[in-house]
Amino acid sequence: MFGAIVWKEFQTELTNFRVILASLAAILLVGITTYVACLEFNQRVKSYQAKLHALSQQEQDIYVYSQLHPHLLRQPEPLSILSHGPDSIENAEVEINIYSLPVEPVGNYHGHAYQSLLSRFDVTEVIIFVLGLLAFLMTFDALCGEKESGTLALILSGAVPRAVLFGGKFVAVALCLALLLLILYLETIGVILSAADLSSSSLDWGRYTFLFMTYLLYVVVMILAGLMVSGTVRRSSTSLMVCMLLWILMVAAYPQAVLSLSHLRAPRDEIVQMEVQRLRAERDQKIKSYKGSRALFGAVRTLDQTTFVVRAFNLLPTSVTDYEKFIGHQNRVLLDYAQRIGQVELAARQQRLRHLFYTQLLAALSPAYALKALSQSVAGTSEWNHEDWLAATRLYREAFLNYLDSKQGLFGRRWFTDDPPHWEFSMRADLVKLGQDPSRRLTLSDLPRFQYRPRSLPSAAPLAVGSLLLTLLGLLFIISGIGFARYDPRAG
Amino acid sequence: MKTSFSLMLSNQRRQPVGAGPISTILAREVIEHLQTLRFILSAVILTALMIVSGLATSASYRQVWKQYDTNLNNQERGLRTLATLVDVVNFRFTATMPPDQWAFMIGAQQWELPHQVALTFLNRGEPTKVFTYPGQESASLLSWIQVVAFFVSFMAIILLFDAINGEGDTLKLILSNPVSRFQILAGKALAAYGVIGSSLLTGILCSVLVILVVDAIPFHFEVVYPVGLFFGLASIYALIFIFMSLAASAYFKQPTSSLAFLLFVYLLLVAIWPSISGIIAKVVSPAPSALTVQQQVESLQRDVATQYLPRGIRSEGAEKDGYLWERNLDQFICALSQRHQSLTDLVVERRVNQIRTMQRLAEISPSRLLAAAVEGGVGSDLNQHESFLRQAENYQAAIQGYVRQMDALDSSSLHLLCAGAYYAATFGAASPLPLISNKKVEPQSIPRFRFAPSTSNERPREALYSAGMLLIELLLLMALAHRRFARAEIR
């Protein structure tokens, strides 16, 4: 009996004109969106590689350790083709130095400076809008339509339990949409493999498939919502109207309103900025108050320029040993304050992330937003994945500082010169010699390299969103089931 | 709806002398709408969205204004510390577009465009976005335009998708009376506009009231212009969807078919087409990618270097050869910065062109036409942005003029301004050579940036094209709805 209902409903849905139209629209839109996202991804990869190349060139031209500031780049995520994250964190980059902790990244790809004006669609958004609509269009008259035409009472009089009828309709629509998702899955694979600069081995197939499973989860929730409405109201036109109101509430109005309202209680940065500026001033004061610094730096204005100016002009009247002592003092102060400033900035970022987390959790009461958040974290493009990456860069900074210290390049004279200990500067000649003597370049083969492995388990935020979606699914199932169990099948 | 028409028929016999059929239909339709769940629900949602939008955008505006103010103060403080021309050529000036509250609230486009230009004596960078809310996409900010574009059109569809095909037998009955089809159509359209327009007006007024109370802003009559303009244009937009729904309702026999059709058109026009036009604009009028620009800058440096930069480094007796090396360097730096500048300008120009193409294409969609008309009217559109870019360019010219003028007064300077600026950028004030004047300057005399927005008299002309197109779309749809309804078979 169950099989017969599923098969009949499945056939009816597949031959329905509006289902065919919406499916074709979805296939077309997903194709176009994936193709455009592939082109953008290629550009980002090119930009990433060019930057990597430029950095490795720079690394070959380093003579003293003060010149060494490794730049860490985040590789573009292949799955960002299907679900891109916030624009600001695409191709993020941080500089590792002794002055600061990596807290906020700087993007090195500005391809969207103007394009973000009209929102960039990704595959996930097409699924949210079009498949969500399709789920409603397929279910709004599933139960009340039968009632209107008088067939519901007939079916129920023929010893078909309500649970079987409800289950059969649900499974049939879910199968139809699963079939469409399968087509979209194959379509996106085809487009990505042909248009993106990616080999099939560099794509994480597990995550790719999991992403489509989350799409299916969303579609199933929408189907249940549609059935719930259809099993509650009497007329199919009312049902359709309610479904459409629900749809626009879920996919656009509610998440947008929550995200907008979150601006009202957004953490303010001014106090943090003032604290950071105060600490910076205190730091500079401590460095300047070093005994004898006036004699060392009569004309030098900023700290960053010291090493360069020392090399370029004859501005060091006193001995290298004195300067070495000063550098030891300066770098200790810098490291200490980098830690303190970093802690302040990190606390502010943590606060912002907490705020974002609660906002997202509230917005994720709408399945559409829940899918968006979930798919971003599966694709590795969410703010939380990014935070993981930043934490890894902070760990790397520790390793890097240990390396500098082990080479006597942090507090000693190797910070600013590679001359043997008994030598004193002979300034301008030294500069010329330095620029023309490649043998004096640093060999950095033993420099620890940055490695980032995205963690396999998603972090707390997407897990919470995912479980919220599942809870919603269960709730809808119960509500719509109970609703249909009490439904009056008599027409009119 | 069935009941409304039967009621109306019975009422018609009792209608007062002088009241035409249109007003009767109008009154009954309005009462009918006011009692339906769909109207109550959507009106509540619309008002809530407008209030949320007002609160959120004004909170965001305050934050942006604070950032702008801090920026301006920092810049001013920096300017006051400048003591010599070397400091001036080394200083990082910024030209920033100040936020305008009502333009910001109504149409958030201005804040999607880059609005700060950093410049020095030598070069002027690409405009950047500096006021952003970290960790969130700016798209999450709901502006009034977005609410109207997405929701008012939806409301019109929901209220009217079954206006004609949902009537059933009553339509036949009413047409047997001396009432023309045109009168029925006009009555229905006016009634729908009445309820949608009044909910929109309520939403706007609530939003404005909440902002005035919460933000404690004193009321100014200047507010009336942007808010009135917004309401007028939003009304045309609502009417477009009202007539579209009536036409579809007259064409399709089943209400579900007309609703499905209208939703497809809605999705296509409001959400999909504007995004697709962005893609098309990228193909039709491509802007160079960041990578291409970087490569072009590198090749430019190589070109200019081989052309101008003499081999070797500065010789010891530079004073004797009349600072020949520095004079060569000056030419090199001047040429480099000039060509670099024209490259940056080209990139910016291409991007602006691209966005213009995108907007022109997107204007097939009434939601983009509405946005363009309102943005043009309140001064948050691309023209304003371009005017800002021009003003930033003029500001750099003013700084260059100032440096040249001050430097010319000093006879001990070599007047090698480009090389001097390059040295200043590299070594700070430590440059030992008299490439440019080293005399004291008065910080007050250094030019400041003041953005001059286009006045409200100039703006309507910019918005006129989009508003005109919106009206043409409305007239076409009115004609279509009338024709469809006139030909509709009533059984």
Side-chain angles (χ1 to χ4, degrees), chain A residues 318-346:
Chain A
T318 47
S319 69
V320 177
T321 326
D322 282 353
Y323 187 58
E324 192 179 339
K325 277 184 197 154
F326 168 75
I327 285 296
H329 165 76
Q330 173 198 280
N331 286 2
R332 277 193 184 88
V333 174
L334 284 177
L335 276 178
D336 178 32
Y337 275 86
Q339 201 64 29
R340 286 165 69 174
I341 294 172
Q343 290 306 332
V344 173
E345 286 174 339
L346 262 181

Side-chain angles (χ1 to χ4, degrees), chain A residues 29 36 40 50 113-119 121 133 240-241 244 248 256 260 264 266 268 308 355-356 383, chain B residues 38 56 59 63 109 112 129 133 135-136 140 142 154 259 263 266 274-275 282 291 351 354-355 385 427:
Chain A
L29 274 176
V36 173
E40 286 192 343
Y114 284 77
Q115 271 91 33
S116 67
L117 273 174
L118 299 175
S119 61
F121 251 47
L133 181 66
L240 181 53
M241 200 242 345
M244 288 307 103
I248 198 138
Q256 280 280 2
S260 287
L264 287 181
R268 304 277 179 249
F308 193 90
H355 178 254
L356 186 67
E383 198 78 47
Chain B
R38 45 179 132 169
Q63 204 177 339
Q109 185 186 10
E112 295 272 306
K129 292 180 209 174
Y133 175 62
Q136 287 218 354
S140 66
L142 200 62
F154 183 78
L259 182 52
L263 281 174
Y266 165 79
S275 292
K282 274 188 205 174
L291 183 67
R351 292 218 173 117
Q354 189 176 55
I355 198 162
H385 180 68
F427 307 124

Side-chain angles (χ1 to χ4, degrees), chain B residues 109-188:
Chain B
Q109 185 186 10
Q110 189 182 344
W111 302 100
E112 295 272 306
L113 291 168
H115 44 261
Q116 187 174 75
V117 176
L119 48 95
T120 63
F121 173 82
L122 275 183
N123 54 46
R124 182 162 34 81
E126 276 182 46
T128 49
K129 292 180 209 174
V130 284
F131 308 139
T132 48
Y133 175 62
Q136 287 218 354
E137 287 166 275
S138 53
S140 66
L141 204 63
L142 200 62
S143 68
W144 280 6
I145 287 190
Q146 271 174 311
V147 174
V148 168
F150 273 91
F151 202 76
V152 167
S153 45
F154 183 78
M155 196 172 165
I157 292 173
I158 281 290
L159 291 188
L160 291 171
F161 73 96
D162 58 351
I164 291 162
N165 53 19
E167 289 287 354
D169 295 337
T170 43
L171 206 52
K172 204 162 113 186
L173 278 175
I174 183 175
L175 283 172
S176 61
N177 282 284
V179 181
S180 73
R181 291 191 180 206
F182 173 76
Q183 285 167 326
I184 296 176
L185 193 72
K188 277 178 179 286

Side-chain angles (χ1 to χ4, degrees), chain A residues 93-111:
Chain A
E93 173 181 354
V94 292
E95 190 190 279
I96 300 294
N97 55 36
I98 67 163
Y99 313 107
S100 58
L101 285 187
V103 177
E104 297 280 355
V106 183
N108 66 28
Y109 175 68
H110 305 291

